Coordinates of all heavy atoms in Angstrom, one line a residue:
G43 N -7.3 30.9 -39.1 CA -8.1 30.4 -38.0 C -8.2 31.6 -37.0 O -8.3 31.4 -35.8
N115 N 3.2 30.8 -24.0 CA 2.7 31.5 -25.3 C 1.5 30.7 -26.0 O 1.6 30.3 -27.0 CB 3.8 31.6 -26.3 CG 3.6 32.7 -27.3 OD1 2.6 33.4 -27.3 ND2 4.6 32.9 -28.2
G116 N 0.4 30.7 -25.2 CA -0.8 30.1 -25.6 C -0.8 28.5 -25.6 O 0.3 28.0 -25.2
A117 N -1.8 27.9 -26.0 CA -1.9 26.4 -26.0 C -0.8 25.9 -27.0 O -0.2 24.8 -26.7 CB -3.3 25.9 -26.5
S118 N -0.5 26.6 -27.9 CA 0.5 26.1 -29.0 C 1.8 25.8 -28.2 O 2.6 24.9 -28.6 CB 0.9 27.2 -29.9 OG -0.3 27.6 -30.6
S119 N 2.2 26.7 -27.3 CA 3.5 26.5 -26.6 C 3.5 25.3 -25.7 O 4.6 24.7 -25.4 CB 3.9 27.8 -25.8 OG 3.0 28.0 -24.8
L121 N 1.7 22.6 -26.4 CA 1.8 21.5 -27.3 C 3.2 21.3 -27.8 O 3.7 20.2 -27.9 CB 0.8 21.7 -28.5 CG -0.6 21.7 -28.2 CD1 -1.5 22.2 -29.5 CD2 -1.1 20.3 -27.8
Y140 N -4.9 18.0 -37.0 CA -4.6 19.4 -36.8 C -3.2 19.6 -37.4 O -2.2 19.3 -36.8 CB -4.7 19.8 -35.3 CG -4.2 21.2 -35.1 CD1 -4.6 22.2 -35.9 CD2 -3.5 21.5 -33.9 CE1 -4.3 23.5 -35.7 CE2 -3.2 22.9 -33.7 CZ -3.5 23.9 -34.6 OH -3.1 25.2 -34.3
Y187 N -2.8 12.3 -29.3 CA -3.2 13.7 -29.3 C -4.5 13.9 -30.0 O -4.6 13.4 -31.2 CB -2.1 14.5 -30.2 CG -2.6 15.9 -30.5 CD1 -2.6 16.9 -29.5 CD2 -2.9 16.3 -31.8 CE1 -3.1 18.1 -29.8 CE2 -3.3 17.5 -32.1 CZ -3.3 18.5 -31.1 OH -3.7 19.7 -31.4
V189 N -7.9 16.3 -30.7 CA -8.6 17.6 -30.6 C -10.1 17.4 -30.3 O -10.7 16.7 -31.2 CB -8.3 18.5 -31.9 CG1 -8.8 19.9 -31.7 CG2 -6.8 18.4 -32.2
V191 N -12.8 19.4 -30.4 CA -13.7 19.9 -31.5 C -12.6 20.0 -32.6 O -11.8 20.9 -32.6 CB -14.2 21.2 -31.2 CG1 -15.0 21.8 -32.4 CG2 -15.2 21.2 -30.0
N192 N -12.6 19.1 -33.5 CA -11.4 18.9 -34.4 C -11.2 20.1 -35.3 O -12.2 20.8 -35.7 CB -11.6 17.6 -35.3 CG -10.2 17.2 -35.8 OD1 -9.2 17.7 -35.4 ND2 -10.2 16.3 -36.8
N193 N -10.0 20.5 -35.6 CA -9.6 21.4 -36.5 C -8.9 20.6 -37.5 O -7.9 20.0 -37.2 CB -8.6 22.5 -35.9 CG -8.1 23.5 -36.9 OD1 -8.4 23.4 -38.1 ND2 -7.4 24.4 -36.4
D227 N -6.8 18.3 -26.7 CA -6.7 19.7 -27.0 C -8.1 20.2 -27.1 O -8.9 20.0 -28.0 CB -6.0 19.8 -28.5 CG -5.8 21.2 -28.9 OD1 -6.6 22.1 -28.4 OD2 -4.9 21.5 -29.8
A229 N -9.1 23.4 -27.6 CA -9.1 24.8 -28.1 C -10.4 25.4 -28.4 O -10.7 26.5 -28.1 CB -8.2 24.9 -29.3
Y230 N -11.3 24.6 -28.9 CA -12.7 25.1 -29.3 C -13.8 24.6 -28.4 O -14.9 24.9 -28.8 CB -13.0 24.7 -30.8 CG -11.9 25.3 -31.8 CD1 -10.8 24.5 -32.1 CD2 -12.1 26.5 -32.3 CE1 -9.9 25.0 -33.0 CE2 -11.2 27.0 -33.3 CZ -10.1 26.2 -33.5 OH -9.1 26.7 -34.4
G258 N -6.1 23.8 -22.7 CA -7.2 24.8 -23.1 C -6.6 26.1 -23.4 O -5.3 26.3 -23.2
T259 N -7.3 27.0 -24.0 CA -6.8 28.3 -24.4 C -7.9 29.4 -24.2 O -9.1 29.0 -24.2 CB -6.4 28.3 -25.9 OG1 -6.0 29.6 -26.2 CG2 -7.5 27.9 -26.8
L260 N -7.5 30.6 -23.9 CA -8.4 31.7 -23.8 C -8.5 32.5 -25.1 O -9.1 33.5 -25.2 CB -8.1 32.6 -22.6 CG -8.1 31.9 -21.2 CD1 -7.8 32.9 -20.2 CD2 -9.5 31.2 -21.0
S261 N -7.7 32.0 -26.1 CA -7.6 32.7 -27.4 C -8.9 32.9 -28.1 O -9.2 33.9 -28.6 CB -6.7 31.9 -28.4 OG -5.3 32.0 -27.9
K262 N -9.7 31.8 -28.1 CA -10.9 31.9 -28.9 C -12.1 32.5 -28.1 O -13.1 33.0 -28.7 CB -11.4 30.5 -29.2 CG -10.3 29.5 -29.7 CD -9.8 30.0 -31.1 CE -8.6 29.1 -31.5 NZ -7.9 29.5 -32.7
P266 N -6.7 36.1 -28.9 CA -5.5 35.4 -29.1 C -4.3 36.2 -28.7 O -3.3 35.6 -28.2 CB -5.5 35.2 -30.7 CG -6.9 35.3 -31.1 CD -7.5 36.3 -30.1
R269 N -2.4 35.5 -25.5 CA -1.4 34.3 -25.5 C -1.6 33.5 -24.1 O -0.5 33.2 -23.5 CB 0.0 34.7 -25.8 CG 0.2 35.5 -27.0 CD -0.4 34.9 -28.3 NE 0.1 33.6 -28.6 CZ -0.8 32.6 -28.9 NH1 -2.1 32.7 -28.9 NH2 -0.4 31.4 -29.3
I270 N -2.8 33.2 -23.8 CA -3.0 32.4 -22.6 C -3.5 31.0 -22.9 O -4.6 30.8 -23.4 CB -4.0 33.0 -21.7 CG1 -3.7 34.5 -21.2 CG2 -4.2 32.2 -20.3 CD1 -2.3 34.5 -20.5
G271 N -2.6 30.0 -22.7 CA -3.0 28.6 -22.8 C -2.7 28.0 -21.5 O -1.7 28.4 -20.8
Y352 N -15.4 26.5 -38.3 CA -15.0 25.9 -39.6 C -16.1 25.1 -40.2 O -16.8 24.3 -39.4 CB -13.7 25.1 -39.5 CG -12.6 25.8 -38.8 CD1 -11.9 25.1 -37.7 CD2 -12.1 27.0 -39.3 CE1 -10.9 25.8 -37.1 CE2 -11.0 27.6 -38.7 CZ -10.4 27.0 -37.6 OH -9.4 27.6 -37.0
Ligands
LIG1 C1 -6.6 22.7 -32.5 C2 -5.9 24.0 -31.9 N1 -5.1 23.8 -31.0 C3 -4.4 24.9 -30.4 C4 -4.5 26.1 -31.0 C5 -3.6 27.2 -30.6 O1 -4.2 28.0 -29.6 P1 -3.3 29.3 -28.8 O2 -3.8 30.5 -29.5 O3 -3.7 29.2 -27.4 O4 -1.9 29.0 -29.1 C6 -5.3 26.4 -32.2 C7 -5.4 27.6 -32.8 O5 -6.1 27.9 -33.7 C8 -6.0 25.2 -32.6 O6 -6.8 25.3 -33.7

Side-chain angles (χ1 to χ4, degrees):
N115 199 358
S118 309
S119 63
L121 293 171
Y140 176 39
Y187 168 69
V189 188
V191 175
N192 199 11
N193 179 357
D227 180 339
Y230 298 90
T259 178
L260 301 182
S261 288
K262 313 292 176 185
R269 305 310 298 131
I270 303 297
Y352 307 123

